[in-house]
Amino acid sequence: MSDPTGLDLATASRLLGVEASELERLARKGIVARSGGLFDLVGLVRSYVGYLKAETDRVRKQPTQGEIAAHLDMSERNVRELLGKLGVNHRSSTLDEVRVAYIRYLRELAAGRGGEDQYDLTKQKARQAEADARLKELDYWERVGVLVNVEELEPLLAGFAALGRAEFENALEKIVAAIESKHGVEIEEALIAGPRDDAYRAIAAYPSVLGDDAGGDGEGV
């Protein structure tokens, strides 16, 4: 059996739930740990989670127009127009500052001071409610010191569970073979099938169980 901590690119990318080309890019930049063409399991997970946290912090402090568009749920073209109306330079503004400026702009429109640029009132209120909710969410993550989203973490756990199942199966086969060889007996498949399958189900179900414990809404862990 190969060293379980030495993962090739294909195995490591499946574990993290990312494309192999993306993981290769991160490895070439030194963002994730790799030695001799292989990824150390613990080092890989730690460095990738650290990368996700750093990206979250970067997006908050130096967002691109595309990231602002995704945050405000609009197209990049509309974002460019909006930033012009707000008088905001996204290159020198944080995501929080852009959002606050947008919320104030919506309030001005809702108060009837938007002139010909006034949007449909229902859409205004919906966007303002969404922006306020996202602000509260970011404030909560900042207070508790946790910035990893469950939707980002679950693929890691699912990949780890799959790897754990494969290693467990390999170890079980070796144990059975060793007992049979040493004692000259043959262990029936039915004797190990039940406990083995129970273990498989427990390993496979763990990522979803963790998601339920975190609140079941996929918002954060």
Side-chain angles (χ1 to χ4, degrees):
M1 182 176 65
S2 61
D3 182 357
T5 63
L7 308 177
D8 59 22
L9 179 63
T11 302
S13 63
R14 288 196 301 270
L15 171 65
L16 296 180
V18 301
E19 294 292 335
S21 57
E22 172 65 8
L23 183 56
E24 177 65 24
R25 183 185 71 82
L26 297 178
R28 288 183 180 277
K29 289 188 173 184
I31 295 173
V32 295
R34 180 169 64 176
S35 177
L38 296 177
F39 297 88
D40 173 73
L41 177 59
V42 175
L44 173 67
V45 173
R46 285 179 176 173
S47 57
Y48 187 69
V49 170
Y51 163 72
L52 294 178
K53 290 181 177 180
E55 272 296 282
T56 300
D57 189 54
R58 180 198 62 76
V59 170
R60 291 188 63 183
K61 293 180 179 179
Q62 294 179 312
T64 64
Q65 284 191 357
E67 288 161 348
I68 294 172
H71 185 68
L72 298 181
D73 191 24
M74 62 175 61
S75 68
E76 288 193 46
R77 178 180 178 180
N78 286 342
V79 163
R80 287 193 293 271
E81 294 176 357
L82 175 65
L83 293 176
K85 294 176 181 179
L86 299 178
V88 171
N89 182 351
H90 77 279
R91 293 185 178 86
S92 58
S93 302
T94 67
L95 191 61
D96 291 344
E97 290 169 343
V98 173
R99 183 179 57 254
V100 169
Y102 180 48
I103 291 172
R104 290 174 177 171
Y105 173 69
L106 291 177
R107 287 173 177 165
E108 288 289 317
L109 294 178
R113 295 189 290 269
E116 61 182 8
D117 293 327
Q118 186 168 0
Y119 293 99
D120 178 81
L121 184 58
T122 301
K123 292 183 179 180
Q124 294 172 20
K125 291 182 177 179
R127 289 191 182 278
Q128 182 173 334
E130 181 180 2
D132 288 338
R134 292 193 179 191
L135 177 59
K136 291 179 181 178
E137 180 183 24
L138 288 174
D139 288 342
Y140 170 75
W141 287 356
E142 184 174 8
R143 286 198 304 273
V144 301
V146 178
L147 299 176
V148 180
N149 193 290
V150 167
E151 293 178 353
E152 298 170 336
L153 186 59
E154 187 171 353
L156 299 179
L157 295 173
F160 187 78
L163 182 65
R165 169 176 172 150
E167 294 298 336
F168 173 76
E169 183 175 12
N170 193 11
L172 182 61
E173 291 175 356
K174 289 188 175 183
I175 291 171
V176 170
I179 293 174
E180 290 178 341
S181 175
K182 182 173 182 179
H183 298 285
V185 298
E186 182 176 349
I187 300 177
E188 296 181 4
E189 171 70 14
L191 294 177
I192 63 173
R196 179 197 62 201
D197 293 344
D198 287 343
Y200 286 167
R201 283 190 290 270
I203 292 172
Y206 185 72
S208 61
V209 170
L210 181 61
D212 292 340
D213 290 342
D217 56 6
E219 293 300 320
V221 297

